[in-house]
């Protein structure tokens, strides 16, 4: 089984290029089938989630042409099925974005219920509420969500919770509804804004994305477009934390600094230097870092997808830090693994009380989910000795060439598949 082998202790130094945002790409790829014309999308990250979604789209008849590793052409005119197979949903939840896209375009869609993920129960009641308020019937039976509508009519929808997925799904369906839809208490994440900009480039009429209130005036149809996806704020934040925890000096390029404000603010609070330029941030971590408090919130608050990564940094920072996870109910699974490296963390409900220690020591670890897996890798980079991280398929869902980008920053990390490879790595690592 593939794993990362890491020899810790080397400060990360140099430059790293950030790829396209996975969570924007998933929404935009799904939305691209809402026209019968050809759509060209650039800066698509080459990660497992986007590749599985493209396979799901091909499985219903979309024509997907790879122009290069990060550019794809999609044509949705030949779609011949409105049912997304279960195994695609099992592989990635975000296949349910095809619900909103297919319902908007064909007024009908069927997708198997996405399972809970290991970060929480992941309900979809707000997605269903939105579809129903647009006039669709929604049935849940035999593990499937089946939705259809004579026609979709604009509605005034108040989201009970701030939800990225439901905001995205409803925005897609409403783009081709009759009349005005208003989404109140909408999610404001950069990927919600990116989707709105993408749909508008196809002829949609969406205003207010990035604020609490999004207004969508339905249009008859959508047309072709060429679009480039925004940089991934979470990949960028992960490398910022890697620089911080290894006492490094890393320039993270091809970012939108505004999207990283809450992350930069926390790094400054704990003693890092953070320099911003137009499309890059530089993180210098030269001295002993100190404790702080973090509470995950919807954007522009501190992202829940950065919670494991900052906990890794705080567990090596002087003093006691408090991390509160207010979005998901089960996002501390990495704590047991970090404890095996010497961390001193106590989880009480949705709060982690972190008492900084002087060092991590290497251990054999298992990635519990995507972001926790990435966090364990950066813990290994800071640890004394050797660390292995198993189940890296989770990490490869959302990080393109993760270990290669880290190697280019000086990290001693390899992807190994056998004990023999690991022994060879140990001999080679200085
Ligand atoms: C998206 O998940 C992201 N995934 C997640 O990133 C991210 O953690 C999350 O947004 C929050 O930013 C993608 O974009 C593919 P939500 P999503 O709906 O849409 C509750 C990663 O690591 N809720 O914003 O599923 C829900 O339980 C992944 O890239 C309802 O109650 O998240 C949660 O507490 C992990 N009812 C809160 O809202 C609903 O109908 C936020 O969930 C929907 C959600």
């Amino acid at each position: 089984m593939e794993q990362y082998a890491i020899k810790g202790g080397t400060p990360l130094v140099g430059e790293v290029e950030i790829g396209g945002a996975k969570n924007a790409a998933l929404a935009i790829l799904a939305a691209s089938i809402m026209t019968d014309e050809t759509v060209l999308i650039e800066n698509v990250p080459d990660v497992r989630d986007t590749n599985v979604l493209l396979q799901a789209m091909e499985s219903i008849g979309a024509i997907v042409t790879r122009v290069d590793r990060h550019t794809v052409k999609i044509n949705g005119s030949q779609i011949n099925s409105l049912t997304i197979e279960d195994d695609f949903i099992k592989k990635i939840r975000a296949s349910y974005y095809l619900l909103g896209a297919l319902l908007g375009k064909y007024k009908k869609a069927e997708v198997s219920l996405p399972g809970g993920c290991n970060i929480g129960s992941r309900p979809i009641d707000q997605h269903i509420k939105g579809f129903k308020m647009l006039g669709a019937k929604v049935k849940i039976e035999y593990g499937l969500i089946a939705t259809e509508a004579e026609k979709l009519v604009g509605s005034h929808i108040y989201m009970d919770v701030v939800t990225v997925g439901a905001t995205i799904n409803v925005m897609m369906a409403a783009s081709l509804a009759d009349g005005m839809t208003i989404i109140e208490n909408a999610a404001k994440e950069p990927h919600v804004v990116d989707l709105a900009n993408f749909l508008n480039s196809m002829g949609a009429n969406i205003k207010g994305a990035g604020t609490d209130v999004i207004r969508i005036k339905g249009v008859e149809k959508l047309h072709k477009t060429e679009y480039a996806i925004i940089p991934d704020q979470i990949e960028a934040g992960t490398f910022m934390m890697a620089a911080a925890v290894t006492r490094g000096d890393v320039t993270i390029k091809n970012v939108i600094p505004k999207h990283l404000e809450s992350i930069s603010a926390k790094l400054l609070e704990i003693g890092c230097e953070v320099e911003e330029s137009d499309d890059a941030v530089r993180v210098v971590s030269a001295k002993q870092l100190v404790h702080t408090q973090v509470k995950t919130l919807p954007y522009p608050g501190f992202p829940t997808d950065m919670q494991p990564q900052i906990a890794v940094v705080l567990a090596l920072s002087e003093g006691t830090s408090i991390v509160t996870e207010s979005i998901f109910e089960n996002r501390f699974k990495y704590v047991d693994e970090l404890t095996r490296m010497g961390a001193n963390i106590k989880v009480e409900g949705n709060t982690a009380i972190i008492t900084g220690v002087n060092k991590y020591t290497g251990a054999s670890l298992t990635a519990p989910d995507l972001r926790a897996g990435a966090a364990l890798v950066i813990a290994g980079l800071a640890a004394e000795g050797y660390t292995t991280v198993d189940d890296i398929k989770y990490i490869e869902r959302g990080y393109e060439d993760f270990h290669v980008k880290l190697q280019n920053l000086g990290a001693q990390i390899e992807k190994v598949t056998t004990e023999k490879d690991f022994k060879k790595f140990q001999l080679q690592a200085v």
Side-chain angles (χ1 to χ4, degrees):
M1 170 171 63
E2 280 191 328
Q3 56 181 208
Y4 288 136
I6 301 162
K7 181 168 186 309
T10 311
L12 298 187
V13 176
E15 295 185 347
V16 62
E17 281 276 337
I18 296 303
K22 164 179 87 81
N23 292 344
L26 294 170
I28 287 168
L29 291 172
S32 67
I33 59 158
M34 295 180 75
T35 173
D36 283 343
E37 299 178 17
T38 297
V39 169
L40 178 83
I41 304 172
E42 297 171 316
N43 207 31
V44 180
D46 179 13
V47 294
R48 194 161 161 270
D49 274 13
T50 48
N51 292 326
V52 168
L53 181 62
L54 287 168
Q55 289 161 11
M57 290 160 58
E58 285 180 306
S59 76
I60 59 171
I63 301 163
V64 174
T65 313
R66 296 275 183 165
V67 176
D68 63 34
R69 186 179 184 191
H70 299 121
T71 308
V72 64
K73 271 186 188 167
I74 292 163
N75 182 293
S77 63
Q78 308 300 314
I79 284 175
N80 51 36
S81 164
L82 301 178
T83 301
I84 306 299
E85 292 306 315
D86 188 33
D87 60 338
F88 290 118
I89 292 287
K90 281 212 165 53
K91 284 180 186 159
I92 58 156
R93 282 174 56 77
S95 308
Y96 66 15
Y97 284 157
L98 290 168
L99 267 179
L102 294 170
L103 179 66
K105 184 179 182 186
Y106 298 105
K107 310 300 181 266
K108 187 174 165 47
E110 197 174 77
V111 169
S112 58
L113 264 171
C117 173
N118 31 22
I119 59 173
S121 65
R122 314 298 291 275
I124 57 166
D125 55 299
Q126 300 298 301
H127 300 241
I128 292 168
K129 168 181 167 175
F131 292 154
K132 284 183 173 172
M133 291 188 73
L134 291 172
K137 289 194 187 63
V138 182
K139 265 194 311 183
I140 293 187
E141 49 189 16
Y142 311 115
L144 282 175
I145 312 166
T147 178
E148 64 181 302
E150 283 301 306
K151 68 175 184 171
L152 295 175
V153 179
S155 177
H156 195 154
I157 301 165
Y158 188 89
M159 294 291 181
D160 299 335
V161 292
V162 176
T163 149
V164 169
T167 301
I168 283 173
N169 242 339
V170 170
M171 190 198 296
M172 282 193 275
S175 298
L176 291 174
D178 293 348
M180 177 67 83
T181 294
I182 299 173
I183 303 176
E184 304 262 9
N185 201 21
K188 301 183 275 196
E189 270 68 8
H191 29 295
V192 171
V193 177
D194 211 23
L195 173 67
N197 293 338
F198 171 73
L199 286 167
N200 283 340
S201 79
M202 292 171 79
N205 183 339
I206 302 171
K207 293 185 172 54
T211 73
D212 301 302
V213 184
I214 302 178
R215 286 178 167 71
I216 302 137
K217 194 168 180 320
V219 295
E220 278 297 302
K221 62 192 293 187
L222 298 172
H223 55 67
K224 67 182 178 219
T225 186
E226 296 193 0
Y227 195 81
I229 288 167
I230 55 168
D232 194 313
Q233 88 187 117
I234 306 301
E235 184 193 16
T238 303
F239 280 97
M240 292 166 77
M241 294 295 158
V245 79
T246 60
R247 293 285 181 89
D249 177 349
V250 177
T251 299
I252 296 102
K253 300 178 74 172
N254 187 31
V255 298
I256 300 173
K258 175 146 188 59
H259 292 168
L260 304 172
E261 276 177 355
S262 63
I263 300 165
S264 301
K266 283 300 162 190
L267 288 176
L268 287 166
E269 269 176 43
I270 63 176
C272 290
E273 295 160 47
V274 180
E275 285 165 33
E276 285 183 9
S277 55
D278 288 350
D279 62 354
V281 285
R282 181 181 175 198
V283 175
V284 182
S285 169
K287 59 184 185 188
Q288 171 60 47
L289 301 178
V290 297
H291 61 88
T292 187
Q293 281 67 45
V294 178
K295 179 171 184 178
T296 65
L297 286 170
Y299 190 85
F302 191 87
T304 173
D305 291 349
M306 284 298 305
Q307 183 259 95
Q309 298 92 312
I310 196 163
V312 162
V313 179
L314 295 176
L316 284 185
S317 301
E318 198 175 81
T320 299
S321 298
I322 307 287
V323 173
T324 305
E325 171 56 58
S326 72
I327 308 288
F328 291 111
E329 65 270 31
N330 187 17
R331 203 161 199 175
F332 287 121
K333 288 171 74 84
Y334 62 90
V335 168
D336 293 344
E337 299 293 280
L338 264 192
T339 304
R340 299 176 58 235
M341 301 178 81
N344 179 351
I345 304 176
K346 184 154 177 35
V347 176
E348 292 186 358
N350 68 344
T351 299
I353 300 152
I354 302 174
T355 306
V357 294
N358 292 327
K359 67 176 181 177
Y360 291 136
T361 49
S364 299
L365 309 172
T366 299
D369 61 66
L370 163 57
R371 305 302 176 183
L376 293 176
V377 169
I378 63 176
L381 295 174
E384 201 173 86
Y386 293 93
T387 295
T388 56
V389 179
D390 269 339
D391 279 357
I392 60 173
K393 65 180 184 308
Y394 282 118
I395 302 171
E396 293 177 331
R397 286 187 47 191
Y399 291 91
E400 181 184 305
D401 298 342
F402 192 43
H403 69 293
V404 175
K405 291 187 177 183
L406 288 167
Q407 284 168 352
N408 294 340
L409 291 170
Q412 297 188 76
I413 180 171
E414 284 294 341
K415 197 191 290 192
V416 298
T417 43
T418 64
E419 187 56 29
K420 189 161 155 279
D421 289 346
F422 180 54
K423 291 267 180 272
K424 206 168 121 204
F425 168 75
Q426 284 183 309
L427 289 172
Q428 279 165 350
V430 292

